[in-house]
Amino acid sequence: MLPDMPPTENLLFYGDNLDVLRRHIADESVDLVYLDPPFKSDQNYNVLFAEKDGTRAAAQIQAFEDTWEWNQEASAAFNDALQSPGKVPDVMRAFETFLGGSDMLAYLSMMAPRLVELHRKLRPTGALYLHCDPTASHYLKLLLDAVFGPENFKNELIWKRTVPKSDFRQGATNWPRVHDALLYYVKDDEQATFRQPFAPYSAQYVQEKYNLRDPDGRRYQLTSLIAPGAGSRGHPKYELMGITRYWRYNAEKMNALVAAGRVVQPSPGAVPRYKRYLDEMSGIPIGDMWDDVAPINSQAQERLGYPTQKPVALLERILAASSAEGGVVLDPFCGCGTTIEAAQKLGRKWIGIDVTHLAIGLIKIRLRDAFGDAPSYRVIGEPTTVEGAERLAHDEPYQFQAWALGLVGARQSTTVKKGADKGIDGQLNFYDGSDKSRQIVISVKAGKLHAAYVRDLAGVIAREKADIGVMLSFEQPTRQMRAEAASAGFYTSPWGSHPRLQLLTVGELLDGKRIDYPQTAGVNQTYKQAPKARKVAEPLRGLFDKDAPAE
């Protein structure tokens, strides 16, 4: 696939975003970029500046783990960044002088080529929002200045993501950290898209300021018609309703307002005033301090249990301000898919990239829960054949496990420790009409099968008091294994009987076969079900369709 056409369909990529950006996304084809790159924001600040010897091999990338550490891979990324265009090499050398071989330099070295590519993908009217915390925001701003040019820095937005904890310890030596920063840059300051968002007036403000009503109940207030700085700015001076002043409007426009009933003289001899209706006002312009977007807490309806999840309302505000309906939104670290959900809801086309199959699987579930069958999108980079799955299992066992679990809508187990052939690789929760959540335990086997695996899984079902157990494998289970699975009996729900111990192969999963369990009463509840979206966009056409119309 070559990046020779503008996007015309939604895309979800599994893979390294740098490789995807370079190979699959056309230059000047994206209207808005939002990125929230992973970062150890909760660890001791000084750890990021600890010197490293540069000899450690890069750790295997796993979901939610911070991958920014100074090692041979980071050193190679630093050298790659020195080949970037413009001022990027200059700022990277300055970082090296100041930071040395630290994790912070590794983070900036990994970010530099990605920001260069993201800048290249933006249309001249495009914008980028980089979400970060204060630990790295000042370094990232310098790097973005080098990539975009300091003249294209628009603002640093502050989002209050939490509140000081009531149990914050006595004798603390620092202010509680309660905000994130969003660095807002544009490709071209003269062409950038921006629509000022507004917040509604408070009930108290409306009561105090718009306290007058027409007979039909329409609220209004009376405001001044006198020109500011009377006589000094060329405003016209004439008589209106017996009062001579310098007025805001010329006589022709003023007479039109009088005829429309918009000019009111409160009492004889009083200065005429303008009748401003509440329903004609947009509201209060939203500034660069956002404390009105609630964070994702344990009770939030949209909470999916994914670390670093951001509220949809935050992304809706960004997308509405800096992109138009039908525009293309790109998130190169798309995680649990908040940007994607917001884009789908607001009628934008979207491109999401993530390096974990866990995230890709979660996004599929989220889109299904929020929009049903409406979203039209293509997943690129996932195995589509048994041979491809075998390669993934050989090269990246952790990612293979996440991919296989994602096929059945399960999550990787984090609460049960693994033992010899007795561990739980994944879990899936469901409801069967009762108030109690039911559990499916899953074991993933990439190698040769043994009959003991089935007996072990039966023991896990009993130990964990699970309702169903499933083994996912490459190999076809033997007749003996299937017989042992059948002897485990059935789990009965209001919708029928479901085998208590089920054996599924990767080939069967790729052919569309799924776990047999009750889904009528509440669907898969493994990840908290995403709430239905308020608006569902029309399905969009394919990104590289040859018959797609040019934009």
Side-chain angles (χ1 to χ4, degrees):
M1 187 188 326
L2 297 175
D4 55 0
M5 293 182 65
T8 56
E9 99 176 300
N10 302 316
L11 283 178
L12 189 55
F13 285 94
Y14 163 72
D16 182 341
N17 53 28
L18 184 58
D19 178 66
V20 172
L21 289 168
R22 287 174 171 171
R23 296 177 54 216
H24 299 291
I25 310 299
D27 290 351
E28 296 193 351
S29 64
V30 173
D31 297 285
L32 175 63
V33 172
Y34 169 86
L35 66 159
D36 182 12
F39 191 73
K40 286 184 179 177
S41 59
D42 59 345
Q43 71 171 194
N44 186 292
Y45 184 92
N46 293 323
V47 172
L48 291 162
F49 299 88
E51 296 291 334
K52 304 295 190 295
D53 60 14
T55 60
R56 290 180 296 167
Q60 181 185 21
I61 296 174
Q62 297 187 356
F64 315 139
E65 275 197 6
D66 169 45
T67 62
W68 316 116
E69 64 172 340
W70 187 257
N71 51 31
Q72 291 177 338
E73 183 185 21
S75 180
F78 175 79
N79 290 328
D80 184 34
L82 295 181
Q83 310 307 313
S84 300
K87 298 290 187 180
V88 174
D90 296 337
V91 75
M92 291 307 298
R93 292 189 186 95
F95 286 150
E96 181 187 31
T97 299
F98 181 63
L99 299 171
S102 65
D103 285 354
M104 182 63 77
L105 183 62
Y107 177 72
L108 297 168
S109 297
M110 295 293 186
M111 288 301 300
R114 287 162 173 80
L115 292 174
V116 169
E117 291 302 323
L118 291 170
H119 178 266
R120 185 175 288 127
K121 305 311 169 186
L122 280 173
R123 291 188 172 112
T125 54
L128 176 142
Y129 289 79
L130 195 160
H131 197 135
C132 55
D133 77 5
T135 305
S137 60
H138 46 305
Y139 296 110
L140 288 167
K141 186 174 184 298
L142 287 171
L143 183 54
L144 285 163
D145 280 350
V147 174
F148 282 78
E151 69 279 5
N152 289 316
F153 168 69
K154 298 294 290 183
N155 214 327
E156 179 176 350
L157 308 170
I158 300 301
W159 174 50
K160 185 180 178 182
R161 58 175 172 77
T162 186
V163 296
K165 303 297 186 291
S166 59
D167 61 349
F168 195 76
R169 68 186 186 278
Q170 294 294 323
T173 59
N174 195 6
W175 303 96
R177 294 190 175 100
V178 298
H179 81 274
D180 285 353
L182 291 102
L183 302 176
Y184 168 38
Y185 282 76
V186 296
K187 183 75 170 280
D188 185 330
D189 187 39
E190 295 183 355
Q191 301 185 60
T193 297
F194 184 76
R195 297 171 181 82
Q196 172 66 53
F198 293 86
Y201 297 122
S202 68
Q204 180 180 354
Y205 179 88
V206 171
Q207 186 66 31
E208 292 177 355
K209 300 297 183 181
Y210 289 87
N211 57 346
L212 302 174
R213 293 176 183 264
D214 277 346
D216 61 1
R218 194 179 180 192
R219 284 182 175 272
Y220 68 91
Q221 65 169 265
L222 297 178
T223 61
S224 176
L225 284 167
I226 298 175
S232 61
R233 300 180 183 178
H235 292 287
K237 182 178 182 180
Y238 54 89
E239 182 181 328
L240 175 67
M241 297 180 177
I243 305 298
T244 301
R245 294 287 191 277
Y246 287 96
W247 303 106
R248 289 177 180 268
Y249 311 114
N250 61 36
E252 182 180 1
K253 184 172 182 179
M254 187 71 80
N255 288 333
L257 291 173
V258 171
R262 301 301 293 268
V263 178
V264 175
Q265 191 170 33
S267 61
V271 177
R273 295 173 67 80
Y274 177 68
K275 195 174 189 179
R276 188 182 304 278
Y277 285 101
L278 174 64
D279 58 19
E280 294 178 346
M281 304 304 296
S282 299
I284 302 173
I286 294 173
D288 57 9
M289 172 63 181
W290 299 353
D291 59 1
D292 61 330
V293 178
I296 302 290
N297 58 41
S298 60
Q299 304 302 315
Q301 184 182 7
E302 65 184 277
R303 182 176 181 268
L304 301 174
Y306 190 98
T308 74
Q309 181 183 352
K310 302 302 185 293
V312 174
L314 186 75
L315 273 301
E316 287 180 337
R317 176 171 293 176
I318 292 170
L319 269 59
S322 293
S323 69
E325 188 167 357
V328 179
V329 177
L330 168 64
D331 187 340
F333 297 93
C334 62
C336 65
T338 302
T339 304
I340 289 172
E341 179 179 338
Q344 184 73 31
K345 186 183 296 185
L346 295 179
R348 274 67 169 166
K349 303 168 209 170
W350 50 261
I351 302 171
I353 311 170
D354 204 274
V355 77
T356 69
H357 283 293
L358 180 60
I360 301 300
L362 176 54
I363 291 169
K364 293 178 183 177
I365 295 170
R366 183 173 189 170
L367 287 171
R368 182 201 65 195
D369 289 346
F371 303 99
D373 296 329
S376 173
Y377 63 95
R378 191 147 47 101
V379 181
I380 298 173
E382 281 197 318
T384 57
T385 65
V386 173
E387 293 74 20
E390 286 178 333
R391 287 193 297 272
L392 177 63
H394 178 270
D395 296 340
E396 298 181 272
Y398 181 92
Q399 296 289 2
F400 165 75
Q401 186 182 96
W403 170 78
L405 293 170
L407 289 180
V408 296
R411 62 174 170 83
Q412 290 176 291
S413 176
T414 57
T415 59
V416 182
K417 293 184 178 179
K418 291 188 176 182
D421 298 325
K422 294 184 180 180
I424 300 175
D425 295 316
Q427 294 168 295
L428 193 156
N429 300 324
F430 67 94
Y431 291 101
D432 62 357
S434 67
D435 293 334
K436 182 180 178 181
S437 175
R438 302 292 180 177
Q439 181 183 196
I440 298 174
V441 292
I442 302 171
S443 175
V444 180
K445 302 298 182 185
K448 186 173 180 59
L449 291 182
H450 300 282
Y453 291 164
V454 178
R455 293 190 292 272
D456 291 339
L457 183 55
V460 171
I461 295 172
R463 185 187 72 224
E464 299 300 322
K465 296 181 174 57
D467 298 286
I468 295 173
V470 179
M471 186 173 72
L472 309 179
S473 66
F474 273 117
E475 288 191 353
Q476 285 285 346
T478 64
R479 181 179 298 180
Q480 178 187 356
M481 295 172 69
R482 292 196 180 278
E484 289 199 34
S487 68
F490 293 86
Y491 166 73
T492 302
S493 78
W495 293 272
S497 297
H498 316 273
R500 190 171 293 278
L501 204 161
Q502 302 178 31
L503 309 179
L504 296 171
T505 67
V506 169
E508 289 171 333
L509 294 175
L510 290 172
D511 287 339
K513 189 173 182 179
R514 291 295 179 262
I515 298 172
D516 181 355
Y517 73 101
Q519 299 189 60
T520 306
V523 194
N524 170 5
Q525 296 293 318
T526 301
Y527 300 103
K528 184 178 176 183
Q529 188 172 1
K532 293 292 184 182
R534 295 189 300 273
K535 172 185 174 183
V536 178
E538 292 296 320
L540 299 169
R541 304 195 60 183
L543 173 53
F544 294 102
D545 290 349
K546 292 182 179 179
D547 60 344
E551 293 192 345

